[in-house]
Amino acid sequence: MTGVEAALRGALGADRVRRSVPLSDLTTFGVGGPADLLVETRTSDEIVKALAVAHQAGVGVTLLGGGSNVLVSDAGVRGVVIRPRPGGIRRIDDTHIEADAGVTINGLVRWTIMHRAAGLEAWAGTPGTVGGAIYGNAHFNGRLISELVTRVSLAARDGRACDVAAPGLRFGYDRSRLQQTGEVLLAAEFRVGDGEPGALRATARESLAFRKRTQPLDTPSAGCVFQNPEPGRDRLPDAVPWSAGALVDRAGLKGDRLGGAVVSRAHGNFIVNDGTATAADIRRLIEHCRRRVRERFGVELREEIVYLGEFDVHTAD
Ligand SMILES: Cc1cc2nc3c(=O)[nH]c(=O)nc-3n(C[C@H](O)[C@H](O)[C@H](O)COP(=O)(O)OP(=O)(O)OC[C@H]3O[C@@H](n4cnc5c(N)ncnc54)[C@H](O)[C@@H]3O)c2cc1C
């Protein structure tokens, strides 16, 4: 690891590269072991440089955004973890803006409201960054963030960058091409309209209030653990809603606990950390929920959250 560490320090500056950094502090679940090397990049150029250096050294790279949709293993993540921070936002023309990967969705919403740009205000309260939102095609209230995306800048794992128009990203519910290709998001362009800041702020407040009413925001979690089942892909018994949270609820799993991991009583699709959970507790509780829902409804739930690092999966509980 010392070779790649020295090369990264040479390319980006010594202060940007840290060794054995605990990732629990950088994820909303509050669990997870250390990254061998954590690189905090400030620009797209720095992401590209870090990718090229790691590629040349043959060392694996993992991207970490706001850490709000990941479960990091207790053993941590080997190789290099790149964490883009914080990045900039630019107006491209009257109807488009561009945000770097490390910009938080909340920061983006604040910027658009201040700059009278309409379209993103309802995304207020979505944790995480532009990079994570594009990777998983974040959704809220029946809308997908991809509906607002017109173009992105990507880098391949060897650092080669390219621009891709939205149709080339193969967006779907919880899906983008980044999940297959391993490409890294550098920046995304969004379509915006004209807005009056007072009205935009009111919509943002409504979204925040809705989240406060429906989600356990005072306990560490990674939001929804499972994707909702999809018509055409899954089969559900009659009169059962197409909602992972409802399936967990109807299987009687709310409040179930393994170690410090608990199925939220407020929202069946949230697993919360009571402050003592390990990543292994959370992973075991996920398998427990999946098994119980399968036994009860014949549906195989798929994760919305992403696992980073190695897990030793025990399905028995
Ligand atoms: C309380 C709470 C509420 C939530 N509500 C919602 C919601 O309403 N809708 C919703 O969709 N999600 C929700 N989430 C989940 C989460 O906020 C989103 O999935 C978010 O978009 C993840 O962004 P992130 O930056 O935190 O990504 P991370 O969790 O850091 O990473 C997620 C994945 O994206 C990859 N990634 C990150 N950055 C890049 C990049 N630059 N290039 C390539 N890959 C990258 C990572 O490697 C990882 O595989 C919620 C989470 C919490 C904790």
Side-chain angles (χ1 to χ4, degrees), residues 27-48:
T27 67
T28 55
F29 252 140
V31 300
D36 285 344
L37 285 177
L38 180 76
V39 180
E40 295 191 301
T41 55
R42 293 195 190 142
T43 61
S44 296
D45 273 359
E46 289 188 357
I47 298 177
V48 162

Side-chain angles (χ1 to χ4, degrees), residues 28 62-70 84 101 123 125-133 135-140 174 178 183-186 211 215 217 221-224 270 304 306 308:
T28 55
T62 302
L63 263 290
L64 184 67
S68 64
N69 203 32
V70 291
W123 292 87
T126 309
T129 62
V130 168
Y135 175 92
N137 196 9
H139 50 86
F140 179 66
D174 265 326
L178 276 58
E183 289 164 303
V184 173
L185 186 96
L186 301 176
R211 286 178 182 281
Q215 299 180 347
L217 298 181
S221 78
C224 290
F270 275 53
E304 178 171 322
V306 177
L308 300 184

Side-chain angles (χ1 to χ4, degrees), residues 163-269:
D163 276 9
V164 181
L169 286 165
R170 303 196 293 275
F171 280 123
Y173 167 67
D174 265 326
R175 280 196 285 280
S176 77
R177 105 176 190 186
L178 276 58
Q179 295 163 359
Q180 275 92 49
T181 61
E183 289 164 303
V184 173
L185 186 96
L186 301 176
E189 185 185 82
F190 298 91
R191 187 183 310 105
V192 291
D194 261 342
E196 195 278 306
L200 301 181
R201 202 165 288 119
T203 304
R205 286 211 184 102
E206 267 172 43
S207 288
L208 290 169
F210 175 80
R211 286 178 182 281
K212 225 171 167 179
R213 275 200 312 277
T214 56
Q215 299 180 347
L217 298 181
D218 49 353
T219 353
S221 78
C224 290
V225 167
F226 296 111
Q227 300 176 359
N228 289 322
E230 288 176 73
R233 196 171 175 200
D234 299 293
R235 289 180 60 184
L236 283 192
D238 288 345
V240 174
W242 292 84
S243 149
L247 291 169
V248 169
D249 188 1
R250 289 182 183 209
L253 298 168
K254 277 185 169 177
D256 277 14
R257 163 190 290 274
L258 283 172
V262 186
V263 179
S264 167
R265 290 193 182 278
H267 191 310
N269 206 3

